[in-house]
Amino acid sequence: MMGICLDEVRRQGTLVHNITNYVTVNDVANMLLACGGSPIMSDEAEDVEDITSICNGLNINIGTLNSRTIEAMFLAGKKAKGLGHAVLLDPVGAGASTLRTETALKLMKEISFDVIRGNISEIKTLAHGSGSTKGVDADVADAVTEENLDEAVAFVKAFAAKTGCIAAVTGAIDLVSDGSDCYVIRNGRPEMGRITGTGCQLSGMMTAFAAANRELKLEAAAAAVCAMGLAGEIGWKHMREGEGNATYRNRIIDALYNMDGKMLEKGAKYEVR
Amino acid sequence: MMGICLDEVRRQGTLVHNITNYVTVNDVANMLLACGGSPIMSDEAEDVEDITSICNGLNINIGTLNSRTIEAMFLAGKKAKGLGHAVLLDPVGAGASTLRTETALKLMKEISFDVIRGNISEIKTLAHGSGSTKGVDADVADAVTEENLDEAVAFVKAFAAKTGCIAAVTGAIDLVSDGSDCYVIRNGRPEMGRITGTGCQLSGMMTAFAAANRELKLEAAAAAVCAMGLAGEIGWKHMREGEGNATYRNRIIDALYNMDGKMLEKGAKYEVR
Amino acid sequence: MMGICLDEVRRQGTLVHNITNYVTVNDVANMLLACGGSPIMSDEAEDVEDITSICNGLNINIGTLNSRTIEAMFLAGKKAKGLGHAVLLDPVGAGASTLRTETALKLMKEISFDVIRGNISEIKTLAHGSGSTKGVDADVADAVTEENLDEAVAFVKAFAAKTGCIAAVTGAIDLVSDGSDCYVIRNGRPEMGRITGTGCQLSGMMTAFAAANRELKLEAAAAAVCAMGLAGEIGWKHMREGEGNATYRNRIIDALYNMDGKMLEKGAKYEVR
């Protein structure tokens, strides 16, 4: 099923509108192209409704939000939902500032997101309506581990059920749930945490997967997570002596570029709880 | 002649002011450095007139335009023209939104551009005063092919003649015209379409070529197109197993970095119609 | 001593708030991760005080300043100083426009920076209250050379003494002074000048070094400069046939990723005057 989700993005050439941060936007665009989609970026209120209308999905990432782009997020989100597009929220830094937390919560109130993807700290903040995070990375104390896995699965299921979204909490172990089932995913490598933007890239790709597979919401989101982690594993195998996080970033995108449905089926490591 | 155009950029160290999108801006800067130029970015109304005054060329790209930067585009464009600088327009996404189409048309009305570079959908939009495009990539139906080449050449010549600019329409086959002659260029590789920003990089480089070769307007624009395509061919030869679009992006810029006038002369594939 | 400064960043995982330009921001983030720190970007007035509060250092870079982000720079800078954080100014393009020069001077007046890092043209502008630069690169006539080294050292010492900051002037020869002593650093390679953003990356890393080593202000700043130059030397050794500035950019960040305190101690090339 996961292989089909990737193949559909390639077949459809899914066009994704991104309102995303300027830190990792180039990698988001290249990752969307690597997985067979096509990116367009626009964050101006006067522009976003037109742009999102010609797309299949919308990726809202609040990583470098400002008053101008926040307005665009609401306009684009409502327009995209009205057109039946897949809409994803990446609440970067929710819990790290009042503006981020409140913007994310208000977006959730006014836009019925198809998918919300973040780290455990961010999702906890959204679940509790407040929180604290160590910048844009998850609190170490909050990491999902084998020890607290049952508790974490229950939390993500409850969050998905309450919000009506597919909830994706990514970290060393990734959890993706629709409220009933929860994919527990063990692809990826710890070195991915030393690259900026792997989460943002995943959000862009996940929007494409969701948009291209509207009948397979949970599977599509889980497939994107597996694809990203598997790309991290494959990319790492190509690392040579002296290479580090900058080259690794490219090798991960390259790995997605060369991945097909069969490779994803074979490499995906998950269980459903 | 093409080799001279590249050599002149390296000799002069042409300084280019870029008002460009935040998606591909880093690659535009590195491509300008690779071809021997020097980049500076500024998009604030209060800043752009000073900045453009110390430069030799201005590259206006509307890829992530907003109300603040649109104002800066007009101010910088008028100032640069007043100083006799080479000024280029890259109408990213013209036809995809009203704001983009109208901004591009208004810029053309108020600023006498030296060069306009876009894909066929964007240039058709500017020619017709409206249009529709598939995001930032050209409509497939609108692609320039061997079959519709005569018609496309006539269209680009007419557009160049009407606007008084050098018109560059890039895609699988590239067309560059001053209204009388039209370069038909067959450098490049299809895989370049799976990288974000090759068009933006070309616009930055083309501005440098135009600024460094004011007496060779048509040749300079065509030389930049050939150089980009040739870099794509050379970069592809250096690709290794497991590499994809992220690494290819770097290898293209690297190829320009190592290209000299003689290599460009030898590798350029074009005819003039 | 220099090795300790790097090791401390890795041990503490120093979190740096960056208000920086959108041209090189991704490389700044990956360089901070490469040296063991952690980046967060925020440039919205309503957001920056919260964000800077959870960090250890603040990096203010005016490379693509605008009216909105200038306001954020002042708010964040005052908040960070109030909390005792290390705060750095990178006055990109000071001297190239009135807005840049005046913004940098006003920031210096209202915020007591721990470190100011720029090229010789920018620092001369700040010293004289006005100036002219060739874009964002140093005036060639203004370069620090073996011939004018005594004069340059005296200038940097005087600037540091007058402003009460650590002053870092980087170029072919780098100078770092606290007003009494001046490190004269000869790491690095000339090819680093053909990559966009090596200065911006250094400013991000230097903020982390300063924040993690508050008792070693001068040594920490000098260590960051040596680490950047050494990474340039190591990265160059890994360059293969056909590679150029785009790949070199990655190899430099990769070299920092693989550098430890001992390597830095061994590779640092400096004298104290």
Side-chain angles (χ1 to χ4, degrees):
Chain A
M1 200 69 102
M2 285 193 169
I4 291 171
C5 293
L6 171 56
D7 290 338
E8 275 301 303
V9 176
R10 294 202 193 282
R11 194 181 64 78
Q12 297 178 29
T14 313
L15 186 54
V16 175
H17 174 200
N18 301 274
I19 303 179
T20 190
N21 68 77
Y22 57 81
V23 185
T24 64
V25 59
N26 185 268
D27 292 329
V28 170
N30 274 325
M31 183 53 96
L32 271 163
L33 288 160
C35 76
S38 189
I40 186 162
M41 276 66 178
S42 170
D43 64 15
E44 170 69 8
E46 218 188 316
D47 198 48
V48 290
E49 292 176 304
D50 279 1
I51 293 297
T52 219
S53 297
I54 58 168
C55 293
N56 311 109
L58 170 64
N59 170 30
I60 296 180
N61 173 309
I62 65 169
T64 51
L65 81 181
N66 65 51
S67 52
R68 187 179 57 72
T69 56
I70 290 170
E71 184 190 354
M73 291 173 192
F74 283 94
L75 289 169
K78 287 173 186 176
K79 183 73 176 182
K81 285 307 298 181
L83 293 165
H85 297 176
V87 184
L88 178 145
L89 173 65
D90 186 337
V92 181
S97 77
T98 301
L99 181 65
R100 288 164 192 254
T101 303
E102 289 188 352
T103 300
L105 291 170
K106 194 162 172 236
L107 283 165
M108 288 171 66
K109 206 170 170 183
E110 299 193 18
I111 298 162
S112 170
F113 287 100
D114 296 274
V115 191
I116 299 178
R117 191 213 67 80
N119 64 37
I120 184 70
S121 302
E122 291 158 353
I123 302 300
K124 276 195 176 174
T125 295
L126 302 186
H128 303 139
S130 70
S132 76
T133 73
K134 181 177 179 280
V136 291
D137 299 312
D139 287 336
V140 176
D142 275 352
V144 176
T145 61
E146 299 295 346
E147 285 67 41
N148 65 19
L149 188 54
D150 287 344
E151 187 192 358
V153 167
F155 164 74
V156 176
K157 279 188 181 179
F159 180 77
K162 186 182 156 197
T163 58
C165 310
I166 303 293
V169 171
T170 55
I173 301 172
D174 307 305
L175 305 176
V176 184
S177 176
D178 63 356
S180 304
D181 294 319
C182 183
Y183 280 75
V184 177
I185 299 170
R186 291 187 177 82
N187 286 104
R189 286 194 60 91
E191 293 85 356
M192 297 173 81
R194 303 308 293 171
I195 301 170
T196 193
T198 49
C200 304
Q201 291 172 40
L202 173 53
S203 289
M205 177 161 58
M206 196 181 279
T207 308
F209 275 60
N213 300 278
R214 299 309 303 272
E215 308 302 314
L216 295 170
K217 284 170 176 254
L218 178 61
E219 292 79 2
V225 173
C226 288
M228 186 76 201
L230 181 58
E233 296 169 21
I234 295 170
W236 189 257
K237 284 186 195 157
H238 287 97
M239 294 285 281
R240 295 151 194 257
E241 199 214 322
E243 294 184 345
N245 62 332
T247 295
Y248 188 30
R249 175 258 309 263
N250 292 317
R251 295 213 181 282
I252 294 172
I253 298 173
D254 288 351
L256 227 323
Y257 183 88
N258 289 302
M259 190 183 295
D260 62 22
K262 276 186 191 170
M263 292 166 67
L264 176 54
E265 287 287 350
K266 200 176 160 193
K269 295 177 199 147
Y270 65 91
E271 55 175 318
V272 182
R273 291 204 184 183
Chain B
M1 201 67 103
M2 285 194 171
I4 291 171
C5 294
L6 171 56
D7 290 339
E8 274 302 304
V9 176
R10 293 202 194 283
R11 194 181 64 78
Q12 297 178 30
T14 313
L15 187 55
V16 174
H17 175 200
N18 301 274
I19 303 180
T20 189
N21 68 76
Y22 57 81
V23 185
T24 64
V25 60
N26 185 269
D27 293 328
V28 170
N30 274 325
M31 182 53 96
L32 272 163
L33 288 160
C35 75
S38 189
I40 187 162
M41 278 64 178
S42 170
D43 64 14
E44 170 69 8
E46 217 189 315
D47 198 48
V48 290
E49 292 176 304
D50 280 0
I51 293 297
T52 220
S53 297
I54 58 167
C55 293
N56 312 108
L58 170 64
N59 170 30
I60 296 179
N61 173 310
I62 65 169
T64 50
L65 81 181
N66 64 52
S67 52
R68 187 178 57 71
T69 58
I70 289 170
E71 184 191 355
M73 291 173 192
F74 282 94
L75 289 169
K78 287 172 186 174
K79 183 73 177 181
K81 284 308 297 182
L83 293 165
H85 297 176
V87 184
L88 179 145
L89 174 65
D90 186 338
V92 181
S97 77
T98 301
L99 180 66
R100 288 164 192 254
T101 304
E102 289 188 353
T103 300
L105 291 170
K106 194 162 175 237
L107 283 165
M108 287 171 66
K109 205 169 172 183
E110 299 193 18
I111 299 161
S112 169
F113 287 100
D114 296 274
V115 191
I116 298 179
R117 191 214 66 80
N119 64 38
I120 184 69
S121 302
E122 291 158 353
I123 303 301
K124 276 195 175 174
T125 295
L126 301 186
H128 303 139
S130 68
S132 75
T133 72
K134 181 175 180 280
V136 292
D137 299 312
D139 287 337
V140 176
D142 275 352
V144 177
T145 62
E146 299 295 348
E147 285 68 40
N148 65 18
L149 188 54
D150 287 345
E151 185 192 1
V153 167
F155 165 74
V156 175
K157 279 188 182 179
F159 180 77
K162 185 182 157 198
T163 58
C165 309
I166 303 293
V169 171
T170 55
I173 301 172
D174 308 304
L175 305 176
V176 184
S177 176
D178 63 356
S180 304
D181 294 318
C182 184
Y183 279 75
V184 177
I185 298 171
R186 291 188 177 84
N187 285 105
R189 287 194 61 92
E191 294 84 357
M192 297 172 81
R194 304 307 293 171
I195 301 171
T196 192
T198 49
C200 305
Q201 291 171 42
L202 174 53
S203 289
M205 178 161 59
M206 196 182 280
T207 308
F209 274 59
N213 301 279
R214 297 309 302 272
E215 308 303 313
L216 295 169
K217 282 168 177 256
L218 179 60
E219 292 78 2
V225 173
C226 289
M228 186 76 201
L230 181 58
E233 296 169 20
I234 295 169
W236 188 257
K237 284 186 194 157
H238 287 96
M239 294 285 281
R240 294 150 195 257
E241 198 215 322
E243 294 183 346
N245 63 332
T247 294
Y248 188 29
R249 174 257 310 261
N250 292 317
R251 296 213 181 280
I252 294 171
I253 299 173
D254 288 352
L256 227 322
Y257 183 89
N258 289 304
M259 190 183 295
D260 62 22
K262 278 186 192 170
M263 292 166 66
L264 176 54
E265 286 288 349
K266 200 175 160 193
K269 295 177 199 148
Y270 64 91
E271 55 175 319
V272 182
R273 291 204 185 183
Chain C
M1 201 69 103
M2 285 193 170
I4 291 171
C5 293
L6 171 57
D7 290 338
E8 274 301 302
V9 175
R10 294 202 193 283
R11 195 181 63 77
Q12 296 178 30
T14 312
L15 187 55
V16 175
H17 174 200
N18 301 274
I19 302 179
T20 190
N21 68 76
Y22 57 80
V23 185
T24 64
V25 60
N26 185 268
D27 292 329
V28 171
N30 274 325
M31 183 52 97
L32 271 162
L33 288 160
C35 75
S38 189
I40 186 162
M41 278 64 179
S42 170
D43 64 15
E44 169 69 9
E46 217 189 317
D47 198 48
V48 290
E49 292 176 304
D50 280 0
I51 293 297
T52 220
S53 297
I54 58 167
C55 293
N56 311 108
L58 170 64
N59 170 30
I60 296 179
N61 174 309
I62 65 169
T64 51
L65 82 181
N66 65 51
S67 52
R68 187 178 59 70
T69 57
I70 290 170
E71 184 190 355
M73 292 173 191
F74 283 94
L75 289 170
K78 287 172 185 176
K79 183 72 176 183
K81 285 307 297 182
L83 293 165
H85 297 176
V87 184
L88 178 145
L89 174 66
D90 186 337
V92 181
S97 77
T98 302
L99 181 65
R100 288 165 192 253
T101 304
E102 290 188 352
T103 299
L105 291 171
K106 195 163 174 235
L107 283 165
M108 287 171 67
K109 206 170 172 184
E110 299 193 18
I111 298 161
S112 169
F113 287 100
D114 296 274
V115 191
I116 298 179
R117 191 213 67 80
N119 64 37
I120 184 71
S121 303
E122 291 158 352
I123 302 301
K124 276 195 175 173
T125 295
L126 302 187
H128 303 140
S130 68
S132 75
T133 73
K134 180 176 181 279
V136 291
D137 299 313
D139 286 337
V140 177
D142 275 351
V144 177
T145 62
E146 299 295 347
E147 285 65 41
N148 64 18
L149 188 54
D150 287 345
E151 187 193 359
V153 166
F155 165 74
V156 176
K157 279 188 182 179
F159 179 78
K162 185 181 157 198
T163 58
C165 309
I166 303 294
V169 172
T170 56
I173 302 173
D174 308 304
L175 305 176
V176 184
S177 176
D178 62 356
S180 304
D181 294 319
C182 184
Y183 280 76
V184 178
I185 299 171
R186 292 187 177 83
N187 286 105
R189 287 194 61 90
E191 294 85 356
M192 297 173 80
R194 303 308 293 171
I195 302 170
T196 193
T198 49
C200 304
Q201 291 171 42
L202 174 53
S203 289
M205 177 160 60
M206 197 182 278
T207 309
F209 275 60
N213 300 279
R214 299 308 304 271
E215 307 303 312
L216 296 169
K217 283 169 178 256
L218 179 60
E219 293 79 2
V225 173
C226 289
M228 186 75 201
L230 181 59
E233 296 169 21
I234 295 169
W236 188 258
K237 284 186 195 157
H238 288 96
M239 293 286 281
R240 295 151 194 257
E241 199 214 322
E243 294 183 345
N245 63 332
T247 294
Y248 188 30
R249 174 258 309 263
N250 292 316
R251 297 213 179 280
I252 294 172
I253 299 173
D254 288 352
L256 227 321
Y257 183 88
N258 290 301
M259 192 183 294
D260 61 23
K262 278 187 191 170
M263 292 166 66
L264 176 54
E265 287 288 349
K266 200 176 161 193
K269 295 177 199 148
Y270 64 91
E271 55 175 318
V272 182
R273 292 206 184 181

